[in-house]
Amino acid sequence: MLLVFLSGCGEKEYPPLTVSKGVDICNVCNMSIPDDRNATQIQLKDGQYFLFDDIGCHHEWLEQYGDKDIAVQYVRDFHSEEWFEIENATFVYDETFSTPMSYGIHMFKNKEEATNFVNEKGTGLIFPFEDFFKHHFTRHVSGDTDKN
């Protein structure tokens, strides 16, 4: 499936939403969304938004609904938890990385930080946004290797 994403229309017209911990739930798995580095969001052109607790749930939503009406998609930097547009993300995957739904993927705004993270952990596959839909999204029993 080829999905085309809009870029350049993000932060000015559609700023990232604040996650309300204990209130907001993931639009795929219905779990509570912590206001942390794993949260992601999709905003549609009509103002609707969808929040996710894990990039794997975000991916599931895209596979089901496509990108036709998407205005912007946000992910968070693993270290700073800053929201930024998904097209600028560098992803790091390892099945042992702990994420809410055990997809084992972290997002980084800076490729160098992603590389440093992999070197520090001694494991991880780095891939750019261009390869996002080539990745095989699978849930794994998570480990604790990426805890602070």
Side-chain angles (χ1 to χ4, degrees), residues 11-140:
E11 296 192 32
K12 293 178 184 166
E13 294 180 51
Y14 303 94
L17 302 170
T18 301
V19 174
S20 296
K21 186 177 177 177
V23 175
D24 290 323
I25 61 166
C26 178
N27 283 94
V28 169
C29 70
N30 296 315
M31 300 284 287
S32 178
I33 302 174
D35 186 20
D36 67 9
R37 62 184 167 214
N38 294 298
T40 70
Q41 59 183 275
I42 293 173
Q43 294 185 38
L44 302 183
K45 295 172 195 172
D46 69 3
Q48 288 185 79
Y49 65 91
F50 301 92
L51 297 171
F52 309 97
D53 64 341
D54 190 300
I55 190 68
C57 291
H58 185 123
H59 179 265
E60 281 187 45
W61 189 94
L62 289 170
E63 287 289 306
Q64 184 172 354
Y65 297 105
D67 70 335
K68 181 181 175 191
D69 298 317
I70 293 177
V72 66
Q73 299 178 71
Y74 288 109
V75 295
R76 291 178 108 167
D77 181 71
F78 182 81
H79 292 298
S80 71
E81 298 186 10
E82 173 188 351
W83 291 107
F84 66 100
E85 292 187 38
I86 196 170
E87 294 89 349
N88 300 317
T90 298
F91 301 89
V92 176
Y93 164 76
D94 190 88
E95 68 180 40
T96 64
F97 293 164
S98 179
T99 64
M101 294 305 294
S102 301
Y103 283 96
I105 299 175
H106 296 307
M107 292 76 60
F108 293 83
K109 189 173 184 178
N110 179 298
K111 184 178 180 182
E112 184 178 331
E113 287 188 25
T115 301
N116 290 342
F117 179 82
V118 168
N119 290 338
E120 178 184 306
K121 297 299 176 190
T123 189
L125 170 68
I126 298 172
F127 61 97
F129 174 72
E130 292 78 23
D131 294 338
F132 183 72
F133 287 99
K134 295 176 187 173
H135 178 76
H136 180 68
F137 282 80
T138 303
R139 291 179 66 194
H140 301 279

